Structure formats: C-alpha cells, structure tokens
Amino acid sequence: MICIPITASSNKEALHDIEHSCLTAGAIEIRMDLIVDGSLSALIAAARRNSRKVEIIVTCRKKAEAAQMDAADGSEKESEDQKNKKMAILKQAVDLGADFIDIELSEGADAIQELKSYCEKGDGSVKKGDGSKKLIISCHDFKRTPGLARLKELFHQCRKYDPGIVKIVTFAHKPEDNLRMMSLIPYAQKHKQEIIALCMGEKGRISRVMAPYLGNYLTFAALGRDAQSAPGQLTAAEMKQINILLNGDGQQQMPALSTGQDRQLKNYILLGNPVGHSLSPLMHNTALHALGQEGRYNAFCVYDPAAALQAIRGMDIRGASVTIPFKSAVMEYLDNISEDALQIGAVNTIVNKNGYLTGANTDWLGIIVTLREAMTIKGKNFVIIGAGGTARAAAYGIVREGGFPVIVNRTVENGKRLAVEFDCPFYSLDEIDKINADCLINTTPVGMYPRIDQSPVDSGLLTGYKYVMDVIYNPLETRLLKEAGLRGCRVLTGLDMFVHQGAEQIKLWTGREPDRALMKKVVKERLTSGE
Ligand code: NAP
C-alpha cells in the first residue's frame, strides 16, 4: 500500500493535497508538525469525504526529527508547552477517528502510555485493551542504518507497547543497509507484528520499492517532487510506474498486504557488482511467474558479500544468484557447499532453507546441457579457451561427462594451473593450431559487447572443429560464432548456456522445471530489441 505524507505548510494547501492523494493512495499521513494553521478536524473530514477506504495516519513529529536531525535517541529538549500541544493534537486525532496515531519512541514511556490509555477511553470504538492497536510507535535515524542487533533492539523497544505497527526508518549509505533493514520484515512477522521498515536516501530507494512485496504494512511516496517528507522518497507516480514494470502487464497492483502471518514468500535476488545491465531479473521473473510462484527476483548491487549473506539468512529470501566478483568470495560465509561448487571453486547459486545457506554451481550445467543438446560429450576432445571461473566450470563438466578438455590460455601460468587441476593438457594461444579436437569453447570475454569485432582465434583455425561454442551472449552471435558458422561448424550460443544455468537455479530453488523456451525467448527479444 502506498501512503502519501501530507506535508503542506498551510491548511488550504493540505486540503488540496488530501483531495489529490485520496485518489491514488491507500493511506495518507497528516504531518501536523508541518501544517502551521492545520485544522485536524477539517483535514480528516476532507479525507473521509474523498475516500471511505483511505487509511488516515496522524503524526506530529518532534522538531528535530522533522528537520531530519538525529533525534532518535531523544536527546532533543522540548518545552512542556510544546509537549502538551503535541499530545493534545494526537488525542484529538483519536477523537476524530484517525486510523493510526504515530508517536515517536523517543517521546518516552509516559507519553506513549498516556496516549495508549486515551485511545482506549476515546469514543468507545476501541475495545478495552486494544488501545495500543491504533498506535504506530516510530523511530527515525537520519544519519545511518545501525547494525542488525541495534535494529532488533529498537524493534523490541517499540513493540513492548503492543502497538498496531512498529515503524523503523533509517538512512542508507550502502545498498546492504536495505537488506539489513528489510530483514526486519520477516523478523516482525515471526513476532506477529505489523511493521514499516524502510531506508531513506538515494541508496535506500530499493527498500521503498521492495518492502511492500516482503510484507511491509506500507511504503511512503510523495505527492510531487517538492512534497517529499524524507530523503530518497519517490513520487507516487514513480512508485506506480515501478509497480507496473515489476508486475509485467501493468494490470496488477502491489500484492495485498500481509497480515503478518503465514505468508509464504518466495523472493530471490541477484548479488553482484555491477548488476545494472543484468538480464537475470527479466529471465527469472518471467520463469517464476509462469510457474505461478509468488515473490520476485531482484538485482542487488552489493559491496560486502558477508553482510549480504547475513541479510539473506534473516530475510525471507529463498534463493540468490551470485555473479562477478563474488562467486568465490561468498563461499566462506555459507553453511554448506555442493560437491560440484567445491570442485569448481565457485558458487553462482545460493539456496536458503530457514536461514541455512547452501552454495551450488549451475554454470557447469549451463555449458553441459548446451553441449548435450548438440552432441555426445563422452569420448570427445574439447578446446577450452580461457582459464577463469567459466573455464573451470567447463573443464569440470566435460571431465564429469567423460570428455577430454584441453586448456588454452593467454597467461601461461593460469592455464597450466587449471590444466594440472583437471589433469589435462595445456597449450598457449599461439600453439592452438597444433590441437585436434571436436569442439572449441570460448570462455574469455573476447568478442563481448562493445568489442564485438574481436575474436579469440583466427577464423582459419575453425575449419578443424565440428562444434564451436561461445559463452558470451551479448551479442547473441559473436564474431567467433559468425565465422564458425561460415566455415560449416555447428554453433552453440552463450544464450543457451545463460538460460540453462538460470533454469537449473530455479530447479534448485523451487524443485520445479521452468519453461526454458520462454526464458530464452524473453532474453533473446530483449537483446535483439537493442534496449
Ligand atoms: P574470468 O574468471 O575473469 O576469466 C576470464 C578468462 O578470460 C581468463 O582466463 C583470462 O585470461 C581470459 N581473457 C580475458 N581477456 C582476454 C583477452 N583479451 N585475450 C585473451 N584472453 C583473455 O571470467 P569468467 O567469470 O570466467 O567469465 C568469462 C566470460 O564468461 C564472461 O564474458 C562472462 O560474461 C561469460 N559468462 C557467461 C555465462 C553465461 O551464462 N552465458 C555465465 C558465466 C560467465 P588470463 O588468465 O590471461 O587473464
């Protein structure tokens, strides 16, 4: 649910903003600390007139929090008069039937208890003992996102008043801060507590988009660019646009809000750096949607793999893809590693079973399934150009299937090291013409976009091969494959490898076979559309 904060400085403007907000939002938050001459009765009446369904939150922030200073520790001193005025506004909100009254944790136990008791007396609409359910106990940190232990401590400090909603909003400096913050959502669900857990700032935007999918009670969005109530807030129009993009056909709304219990989320993420141009979200979301899976696959650009994995444990993330440069680095933080991944020395897939993380490798399967579709591997000779992670996956798979790899690499020592490990021959690049093999596989980035005019080998050499495979999928047809095709070789593409390694990931996460043809189609369409 999207909640629009009403931050106008006058009652007149606030009435105008409420009218517009009620048309698009599920909730509004009336910021009485900002609306100087605000008449709460007029504002609530206007909201009710415009929408019977809109949820109304009333709050009156401390000056320091409103000015985005660090007041989460309650260090700011307010006069008794200011405190009394604020309490009077919040009590009036109760009398006027606001759905939620937001009071800051830093107001202290006495103020919170006073408001809680008032809710119970109120107009009699709240059952005795349920007064606190109208309360949102909130804390804001405009400087940082604390560690998980501190976030959980804040959660419990808010929760001890038995509020309807706990709200924790902090400033994100790193993308990982979002993961830590969002890990509070399943934590709150475990405690049967509704929560609003969000990060502020440019780097916190992903939490504003993702949190409702994970079970956050709501996310905030501004009515317009000049009406943000916190840094990094997107506009309601932007949020809706993102929602449409995430939901594919533009018809669906954000999923119904969780009640905090029994929600079987199945979210997946890609961890890497960079991830901006990755086609994995498109491919995986298409496949997961076609399988009728709830939840989404999103890319996260991370800097600290240890923090990212810690967050996966705490959050309801069922699986992750791992890409450059973390395929080896994540291994030390996992609970278990499959035999394949151990031998390859790289993990590209993580499966999360209730916080127990297992690493696997599906890159080798991506290569092997692609090869199997075209040929019998057993007994055949394969030239592998390259000695990096993908070359290792290829050598491992070929040996496992009974084939014979030959390593060819630019840097001799890297190539020799790999050859020794897999007990196979090594040749330098300028000796490649001496090798007789059935299939040549390029595992280097040579020929990849934007350097599409490059090829790792002279075209004259290709005549000797029946099969030529390139692991690069952008462009779909590399110069190597183009030249191999012209010389009568059967070509095998990096797109097929990409689809098969992704499909094998989905099998590990869901136990189900995805529609590989559909996955290939969407990626191919995207690559040929030039977007
Ligand atoms: P990596 O670990 O960095 O290894 C790259 C290898 O390529 C190294 O052996 C390196 O040789 C060699 N190389 C790099 N530039 C070269 C050049 N200009 N001339 C000759 N050799 C060169 O990389 P990786 O993780 O294996 O990835 C390699 C490629 O596979 C990337 O293009 C990646 O996008 C692709 N890939 C595709 C899929 C898929 O699903 N289709 C999946 C994974 C990876 P040195 O030892 O001399 O440095």
Side-chain angles (χ1 to χ4, degrees), residues 374-415:
M375 64 189 291
T376 307
I377 298 170
K378 194 170 178 182
K380 301 281 192 332
N381 293 307
F382 295 80
V383 167
I384 298 172
I385 309 177
T390 313
R392 295 178 66 85
Y396 172 78
I398 289 165
V399 170
R400 211 182 128 139
E401 295 283 302
F404 302 104
V406 178
I407 309 297
V408 175
N409 194 47
R410 177 181 63 179
T411 307
V412 172
E413 60 198 279
N414 294 346

mmCIF file of all heavy atoms in Angstrom, residues 374-415:
data_model
loop_
_atom_site.group_PDB
_atom_site.id
_atom_site.type_symbol
_atom_site.label_atom_id
_atom_site.label_comp_id
_atom_site.label_asym_id
_atom_site.label_seq_id
_atom_site.Cartn_x
_atom_site.Cartn_y
_atom_site.Cartn_z
ATOM 1 N N ALA A 374 23.491 -30.780 -28.455
ATOM 2 C CA ALA A 374 24.042 -30.836 -29.810
ATOM 3 C C ALA A 374 24.861 -32.094 -30.083
ATOM 4 O O ALA A 374 24.988 -32.523 -31.225
ATOM 5 C CB ALA A 374 24.927 -29.612 -30.044
ATOM 6 N N MET A 375 25.425 -32.687 -29.047
ATOM 7 C CA MET A 375 26.419 -33.746 -29.280
ATOM 8 C C MET A 375 26.540 -34.685 -28.090
ATOM 9 O O MET A 375 26.003 -34.416 -27.018
ATOM 10 C CB MET A 375 27.788 -33.091 -29.525
ATOM 11 C CG MET A 375 28.262 -32.338 -28.291
ATOM 12 S SD MET A 375 29.731 -31.312 -28.551
ATOM 13 C CE MET A 375 30.979 -32.543 -28.795
ATOM 14 N N THR A 376 27.265 -35.760 -28.285
ATOM 15 C CA THR A 376 27.631 -36.635 -27.172
ATOM 16 C C THR A 376 28.974 -36.153 -26.647
ATOM 17 O O THR A 376 29.926 -35.965 -27.417
ATOM 18 C CB THR A 376 27.792 -38.088 -27.678
ATOM 19 O OG1 THR A 376 26.600 -38.417 -28.360
ATOM 20 C CG2 THR A 376 28.050 -39.062 -26.547
ATOM 21 N N ILE A 377 29.043 -35.952 -25.363
ATOM 22 C CA ILE A 377 30.275 -35.391 -24.789
ATOM 23 C C ILE A 377 31.317 -36.492 -24.564
ATOM 24 O O ILE A 377 32.514 -36.286 -24.802
ATOM 25 C CB ILE A 377 29.945 -34.660 -23.466
ATOM 26 C CG1 ILE A 377 28.993 -33.492 -23.774
ATOM 27 C CG2 ILE A 377 31.208 -34.170 -22.772
ATOM 28 C CD1 ILE A 377 28.386 -32.826 -22.562
ATOM 29 N N LYS A 378 30.816 -37.629 -24.142
ATOM 30 C CA LYS A 378 31.727 -38.732 -23.768
ATOM 31 C C LYS A 378 32.695 -39.078 -24.916
ATOM 32 O O LYS A 378 32.271 -39.252 -26.061
ATOM 33 C CB LYS A 378 30.891 -39.961 -23.410
ATOM 34 C CG LYS A 378 31.681 -41.016 -22.707
ATOM 35 C CD LYS A 378 30.771 -42.089 -22.154
ATOM 36 C CE LYS A 378 31.676 -43.141 -21.512
ATOM 37 N NZ LYS A 378 30.952 -44.238 -20.987
ATOM 38 N N GLY A 379 33.969 -39.120 -24.574
ATOM 39 C CA GLY A 379 34.974 -39.541 -25.548
ATOM 40 C C GLY A 379 35.442 -38.450 -26.493
ATOM 41 O O GLY A 379 36.340 -38.665 -27.305
ATOM 42 N N LYS A 380 34.832 -37.266 -26.430
ATOM 43 C CA LYS A 380 35.207 -36.192 -27.368
ATOM 44 C C LYS A 380 36.275 -35.274 -26.746
ATOM 45 O O LYS A 380 36.393 -35.172 -25.525
ATOM 46 C CB LYS A 380 33.975 -35.333 -27.714
ATOM 47 C CG LYS A 380 32.835 -36.106 -28.344
ATOM 48 C CD LYS A 380 33.103 -36.367 -29.800
ATOM 49 C CE LYS A 380 31.925 -36.884 -30.597
ATOM 50 N NZ LYS A 380 30.902 -37.651 -29.948
ATOM 51 N N ASN A 381 37.006 -34.581 -27.630
ATOM 52 C CA ASN A 381 38.028 -33.621 -27.192
ATOM 53 C C ASN A 381 37.497 -32.190 -27.305
ATOM 54 O O ASN A 381 36.877 -31.834 -28.323
ATOM 55 C CB ASN A 381 39.284 -33.754 -28.065
ATOM 56 C CG ASN A 381 39.966 -35.082 -27.838
ATOM 57 O OD1 ASN A 381 40.266 -35.451 -26.707
ATOM 58 N ND2 ASN A 381 40.185 -35.830 -28.912
ATOM 59 N N PHE A 382 37.767 -31.402 -26.269
ATOM 60 C CA PHE A 382 37.255 -30.018 -26.213
ATOM 61 C C PHE A 382 38.385 -29.041 -25.937
ATOM 62 O O PHE A 382 39.089 -29.187 -24.930
ATOM 63 C CB PHE A 382 36.225 -29.879 -25.079
ATOM 64 C CG PHE A 382 34.985 -30.687 -25.280
ATOM 65 C CD1 PHE A 382 34.974 -32.050 -24.979
ATOM 66 C CD2 PHE A 382 33.827 -30.111 -25.776
ATOM 67 C CE1 PHE A 382 33.833 -32.806 -25.161
ATOM 68 C CE2 PHE A 382 32.680 -30.860 -25.957
ATOM 69 C CZ PHE A 382 32.677 -32.216 -25.656
ATOM 70 N N VAL A 383 38.550 -28.066 -26.806
ATOM 71 C CA VAL A 383 39.498 -26.987 -26.533
ATOM 72 C C VAL A 383 38.744 -25.918 -25.746
ATOM 73 O O VAL A 383 37.702 -25.424 -26.194
ATOM 74 C CB VAL A 383 40.040 -26.385 -27.841
ATOM 75 C CG1 VAL A 383 40.778 -25.074 -27.562
ATOM 76 C CG2 VAL A 383 40.953 -27.364 -28.522
ATOM 77 N N ILE A 384 39.264 -25.612 -24.567
ATOM 78 C CA ILE A 384 38.651 -24.549 -23.762
ATOM 79 C C ILE A 384 39.597 -23.358 -23.792
ATOM 80 O O ILE A 384 40.740 -23.447 -23.318
ATOM 81 C CB ILE A 384 38.444 -24.995 -22.293
ATOM 82 C CG1 ILE A 384 37.497 -26.198 -22.234
ATOM 83 C CG2 ILE A 384 37.913 -23.848 -21.441
ATOM 84 C CD1 ILE A 384 37.391 -26.822 -20.833
ATOM 85 N N ILE A 385 39.154 -22.241 -24.364
ATOM 86 C CA ILE A 385 39.989 -21.038 -24.363
ATOM 87 C C ILE A 385 39.627 -20.228 -23.125
ATOM 88 O O ILE A 385 38.461 -19.846 -22.940
ATOM 89 C CB ILE A 385 39.781 -20.178 -25.622
ATOM 90 C CG1 ILE A 385 39.923 -21.055 -26.869
ATOM 91 C CG2 ILE A 385 40.786 -19.026 -25.664
ATOM 92 C CD1 ILE A 385 39.674 -20.306 -28.149
ATOM 93 N N GLY A 386 40.643 -19.967 -22.276
ATOM 94 C CA GLY A 386 40.416 -19.252 -21.026
ATOM 95 C C GLY A 386 40.750 -20.151 -19.850
ATOM 96 O O GLY A 386 40.775 -21.389 -19.986
ATOM 97 N N ALA A 387 41.004 -19.505 -18.705
ATOM 98 C CA ALA A 387 41.333 -20.294 -17.507
ATOM 99 C C ALA A 387 40.689 -19.669 -16.274
ATOM 100 O O ALA A 387 41.158 -19.858 -15.160
ATOM 101 C CB ALA A 387 42.846 -20.370 -17.338
ATOM 102 N N GLY A 388 39.618 -18.924 -16.478
ATOM 103 C CA GLY A 388 38.914 -18.291 -15.357
ATOM 104 C C GLY A 388 37.817 -19.206 -14.824
ATOM 105 O O GLY A 388 37.818 -20.424 -15.052
ATOM 106 N N GLY A 389 36.851 -18.582 -14.142
ATOM 107 C CA GLY A 389 35.778 -19.343 -13.496
ATOM 108 C C GLY A 389 34.946 -20.162 -14.475
ATOM 109 O O GLY A 389 34.592 -21.320 -14.199
ATOM 110 N N THR A 390 34.636 -19.586 -15.623
ATOM 111 C CA THR A 390 33.792 -20.303 -16.589
ATOM 112 C C THR A 390 34.559 -21.459 -17.216
ATOM 113 O O THR A 390 33.986 -22.527 -17.484
ATOM 114 C CB THR A 390 33.283 -19.314 -17.668
ATOM 115 O OG1 THR A 390 32.790 -18.156 -16.999
ATOM 116 C CG2 THR A 390 32.175 -19.913 -18.494
ATOM 117 N N ALA A 391 35.856 -21.243 -17.439
ATOM 118 C CA ALA A 391 36.694 -22.328 -17.971
ATOM 119 C C ALA A 391 36.732 -23.489 -16.979
ATOM 120 O O ALA A 391 36.664 -24.663 -17.363
ATOM 121 C CB ALA A 391 38.105 -21.813 -18.240
ATOM 122 N N ARG A 392 36.815 -23.173 -15.707
ATOM 123 C CA ARG A 392 36.827 -24.216 -14.664
ATOM 124 C C ARG A 392 35.530 -25.001 -14.692
ATOM 125 O O ARG A 392 35.525 -26.235 -14.584
ATOM 126 C CB ARG A 392 37.002 -23.599 -13.277
ATOM 127 C CG ARG A 392 38.314 -22.911 -13.048
ATOM 128 C CD ARG A 392 38.336 -22.309 -11.647
ATOM 129 N NE ARG A 392 38.313 -23.379 -10.657
ATOM 130 C CZ ARG A 392 39.393 -24.019 -10.238
ATOM 131 N NH1 ARG A 392 40.572 -23.667 -10.695
ATOM 132 N NH2 ARG A 392 39.306 -24.990 -9.367
ATOM 133 N N ALA A 393 34.410 -24.256 -14.823
ATOM 134 C CA ALA A 393 33.099 -24.916 -14.863
ATOM 135 C C ALA A 393 33.029 -25.835 -16.088
ATOM 136 O O ALA A 393 32.526 -26.976 -16.007
ATOM 137 C CB ALA A 393 31.989 -23.868 -14.905
ATOM 138 N N ALA A 394 33.550 -25.356 -17.216
ATOM 139 C CA ALA A 394 33.521 -26.161 -18.451
ATOM 140 C C ALA A 394 34.385 -27.407 -18.292
ATOM 141 O O ALA A 394 33.950 -28.531 -18.603
ATOM 142 C CB ALA A 394 34.013 -25.314 -19.628
ATOM 143 N N ALA A 395 35.612 -27.227 -17.770
ATOM 144 C CA ALA A 395 36.522 -28.374 -17.617
ATOM 145 C C ALA A 395 35.916 -29.406 -16.663
ATOM 146 O O ALA A 395 35.932 -30.616 -16.939
ATOM 147 C CB ALA A 395 37.869 -27.878 -17.088
ATOM 148 N N TYR A 396 35.347 -28.918 -15.572
ATOM 149 C CA TYR A 396 34.743 -29.822 -14.588
ATOM 150 C C TYR A 396 33.620 -30.653 -15.234
ATOM 151 O O TYR A 396 33.572 -31.884 -15.104
ATOM 152 C CB TYR A 396 34.194 -29.007 -13.415
ATOM 153 C CG TYR A 396 33.383 -29.828 -12.456
ATOM 154 C CD1 TYR A 396 34.011 -30.655 -11.530
ATOM 155 C CD2 TYR A 396 31.982 -29.807 -12.485
ATOM 156 C CE1 TYR A 396 33.270 -31.444 -10.652
ATOM 157 C CE2 TYR A 396 31.239 -30.579 -11.620
ATOM 158 C CZ TYR A 396 31.889 -31.393 -10.702
ATOM 159 O OH TYR A 396 31.152 -32.180 -9.844
ATOM 160 N N GLY A 397 32.728 -29.953 -15.944
ATOM 161 C CA GLY A 397 31.584 -30.636 -16.556
ATOM 162 C C GLY A 397 32.012 -31.641 -17.613
ATOM 163 O O GLY A 397 31.484 -32.753 -17.687
ATOM 164 N N ILE A 398 32.982 -31.241 -18.438
ATOM 165 C CA ILE A 398 33.429 -32.119 -19.533
ATOM 166 C C ILE A 398 34.065 -33.397 -18.966
ATOM 167 O O ILE A 398 33.750 -34.504 -19.402
ATOM 168 C CB ILE A 398 34.391 -31.350 -20.471
ATOM 169 C CG1 ILE A 398 33.578 -30.321 -21.260
ATOM 170 C CG2 ILE A 398 35.127 -32.294 -21.414
ATOM 171 C CD1 ILE A 398 34.410 -29.254 -21.949
ATOM 172 N N VAL A 399 34.920 -33.222 -17.956
ATOM 173 C CA VAL A 399 35.549 -34.402 -17.332
ATOM 174 C C VAL A 399 34.463 -35.286 -16.712
ATOM 175 O O VAL A 399 34.466 -36.510 -16.861
ATOM 176 C CB VAL A 399 36.591 -33.965 -16.263
ATOM 177 C CG1 VAL A 399 37.070 -35.155 -15.439
ATOM 178 C CG2 VAL A 399 37.761 -33.265 -16.931
ATOM 179 N N ARG A 400 33.522 -34.672 -16.035
ATOM 180 C CA ARG A 400 32.438 -35.426 -15.376
ATOM 181 C C ARG A 400 31.616 -36.236 -16.367
ATOM 182 O O ARG A 400 31.131 -37.322 -16.062
ATOM 183 C CB ARG A 400 31.542 -34.431 -14.643
ATOM 184 C CG ARG A 400 30.924 -35.022 -13.400
ATOM 185 C CD ARG A 400 30.030 -34.010 -12.779
ATOM 186 N NE ARG A 400 28.755 -34.672 -12.586
ATOM 187 C CZ ARG A 400 28.012 -34.531 -11.523
ATOM 188 N NH1 ARG A 400 28.357 -33.732 -10.576
ATOM 189 N NH2 ARG A 400 26.876 -35.186 -11.424
ATOM 190 N N GLU A 401 31.476 -35.671 -17.580
ATOM 191 C CA GLU A 401 30.670 -36.349 -18.605
ATOM 192 C C GLU A 401 31.505 -37.332 -19.432
ATOM 193 O O GLU A 401 31.012 -37.903 -20.392
ATOM 194 C CB GLU A 401 30.066 -35.308 -19.550
ATOM 195 C CG GLU A 401 29.074 -34.385 -18.905
ATOM 196 C CD GLU A 401 27.712 -35.031 -18.672
ATOM 197 O OE1 GLU A 401 27.105 -35.494 -19.654
ATOM 198 O OE2 GLU A 401 27.270 -35.082 -17.501
ATOM 199 N N GLY A 402 32.785 -37.468 -19.106
ATOM 200 C CA GLY A 402 33.632 -38.429 -19.832
ATOM 201 C C GLY A 402 34.304 -37.850 -21.062
ATOM 202 O O GLY A 402 34.808 -38.589 -21.916
ATOM 203 N N GLY A 403 34.327 -36.519 -21.183
ATOM 204 C CA GLY A 403 35.037 -35.880 -22.297
ATOM 205 C C GLY A 403 36.461 -35.523 -21.894
ATOM 206 O O GLY A 403 36.861 -35.705 -20.739
ATOM 207 N N PHE A 404 37.228 -34.964 -22.859
ATOM 208 C CA PHE A 404 38.635 -34.639 -22.600
ATOM 209 C C PHE A 404 38.900 -33.164 -22.896
ATOM 210 O O PHE A 404 38.942 -32.765 -24.066
ATOM 211 C CB PHE A 404 39.543 -35.519 -23.469
ATOM 212 C CG PHE A 404 39.311 -36.987 -23.223
ATOM 213 C CD1 PHE A 404 38.599 -37.763 -24.147
ATOM 214 C CD2 PHE A 404 39.791 -37.593 -22.060
ATOM 215 C CE1 PHE A 404 38.368 -39.104 -23.916
ATOM 216 C CE2 PHE A 404 39.558 -38.942 -21.828
ATOM 217 C CZ PHE A 404 38.850 -39.705 -22.748
ATOM 218 N N PRO A 405 39.081 -32.357 -21.854
ATOM 219 C CA PRO A 405 39.371 -30.935 -22.105
ATOM 220 C C PRO A 405 40.847 -30.668 -22.391
ATOM 221 O O PRO A 405 41.711 -31.410 -21.926
ATOM 222 C CB PRO A 405 38.967 -30.270 -20.777
ATOM 223 C CG PRO A 405 39.015 -31.334 -19.740
ATOM 224 C CD PRO A 405 38.902 -32.663 -20.424
ATOM 225 N N VAL A 406 41.083 -29.625 -23.154
ATOM 226 C CA VAL A 406 42.445 -29.124 -23.393
ATOM 227 C C VAL A 406 42.371 -27.627 -23.103
ATOM 228 O O VAL A 406 41.505 -26.925 -23.657
ATOM 229 C CB VAL A 406 42.861 -29.321 -24.872
ATOM 230 C CG1 VAL A 406 44.253 -28.738 -25.108
ATOM 231 C CG2 VAL A 406 42.790 -30.773 -25.272
ATOM 232 N N ILE A 407 43.256 -27.153 -22.222
ATOM 233 C CA ILE A 407 43.193 -25.737 -21.844
ATOM 234 C C ILE A 407 44.121 -24.904 -22.724
ATOM 235 O O ILE A 407 45.278 -25.268 -22.943
ATOM 236 C CB ILE A 407 43.610 -25.532 -20.363
ATOM 237 C CG1 ILE A 407 42.840 -26.483 -19.434
ATOM 238 C CG2 ILE A 407 43.452 -24.069 -19.934
ATOM 239 C CD1 ILE A 407 41.344 -26.295 -19.404
ATOM 240 N N VAL A 408 43.583 -23.779 -23.205
ATOM 241 C CA VAL A 408 44.378 -22.816 -23.975
ATOM 242 C C VAL A 408 44.148 -21.453 -23.335
ATOM 243 O O VAL A 408 42.995 -21.036 -23.166
ATOM 244 C CB VAL A 408 43.914 -22.779 -25.451
ATOM 245 C CG1 VAL A 408 44.657 -21.689 -26.207
ATOM 246 C CG2 VAL A 408 44.113 -24.133 -26.109
ATOM 247 N N ASN A 409 45.243 -20.795 -22.945
ATOM 248 C CA ASN A 409 45.033 -19.515 -22.250
ATOM 249 C C ASN A 409 46.134 -18.513 -22.539
ATOM 250 O O ASN A 409 47.263 -18.869 -22.843
ATOM 251 C CB ASN A 409 44.947 -19.755 -20.734
ATOM 252 C CG ASN A 409 44.401 -18.530 -20.009
ATOM 253 O OD1 ASN A 409 43.400 -17.963 -20.444
ATOM 254 N ND2 ASN A 409 45.058 -18.116 -18.937
ATOM 255 N N ARG A 410 45.749 -17.238 -22.451
ATOM 256 C CA ARG A 410 46.692 -16.138 -22.685
ATOM 257 C C ARG A 410 47.832 -16.168 -21.660
ATOM 258 O O ARG A 410 48.996 -16.198 -22.019
ATOM 259 C CB ARG A 410 45.920 -14.808 -22.578
ATOM 260 C CG ARG A 410 46.752 -13.584 -22.716
ATOM 261 C CD ARG A 410 45.890 -12.346 -22.572
ATOM 262 N NE ARG A 410 45.260 -12.249 -21.234
ATOM 263 C CZ ARG A 410 44.480 -11.258 -20.857
ATOM 264 N NH1 ARG A 410 44.191 -10.290 -21.709
ATOM 265 N NH2 ARG A 410 43.970 -11.236 -19.638
ATOM 266 N N THR A 411 47.495 -16.206 -20.386
ATOM 267 C CA THR A 411 48.538 -16.241 -19.345
ATOM 268 C C THR A 411 48.884 -17.690 -19.035
ATOM 269 O O THR A 411 48.051 -18.457 -18.544
ATOM 270 C CB THR A 411 48.033 -15.525 -18.069
ATOM 271 O OG1 THR A 411 47.588 -14.237 -18.440
ATOM 272 C CG2 THR A 411 49.121 -15.425 -17.018
ATOM 273 N N VAL A 412 50.116 -18.032 -19.357
ATOM 274 C CA VAL A 412 50.526 -19.440 -19.297
ATOM 275 C C VAL A 412 50.336 -20.034 -17.909
ATOM 276 O O VAL A 412 49.770 -21.120 -17.742
ATOM 277 C CB VAL A 412 52.003 -19.571 -19.770
ATOM 278 C CG1 VAL A 412 52.540 -20.967 -19.535
ATOM 279 C CG2 VAL A 412 52.092 -19.188 -21.239
ATOM 280 N N GLU A 413 50.774 -19.289 -16.869
ATOM 281 C CA GLU A 413 50.706 -19.904 -15.532
ATOM 282 C C GLU A 413 49.263 -20.190 -15.102
ATOM 283 O O GLU A 413 48.993 -21.217 -14.472
ATOM 284 C CB GLU A 413 51.440 -19.059 -14.494
ATOM 285 C CG GLU A 413 50.871 -17.670 -14.355
ATOM 286 C CD GLU A 413 51.842 -16.732 -13.675
ATOM 287 O OE1 GLU A 413 51.907 -16.781 -12.447
ATOM 288 O OE2 GLU A 413 52.507 -15.967 -14.398
ATOM 289 N N ASN A 414 48.325 -19.293 -15.456
ATOM 290 C CA ASN A 414 46.916 -19.540 -15.112
ATOM 291 C C ASN A 414 46.395 -20.784 -15.829
ATOM 292 O O ASN A 414 45.691 -21.614 -15.257
ATOM 293 C CB ASN A 414 46.037 -18.346 -15.507
ATOM 294 C CG ASN A 414 46.369 -17.115 -14.696
ATOM 295 O OD1 ASN A 414 47.058 -17.220 -13.685
ATOM 296 N ND2 ASN A 414 45.894 -15.962 -15.142
ATOM 297 N N GLY A 415 46.757 -20.869 -17.092
ATOM 298 C CA GLY A 415 46.315 -22.010 -17.894
ATOM 299 C C GLY A 415 46.882 -23.321 -17.378
ATOM 300 O O GLY A 415 46.166 -24.321 -17.242
#
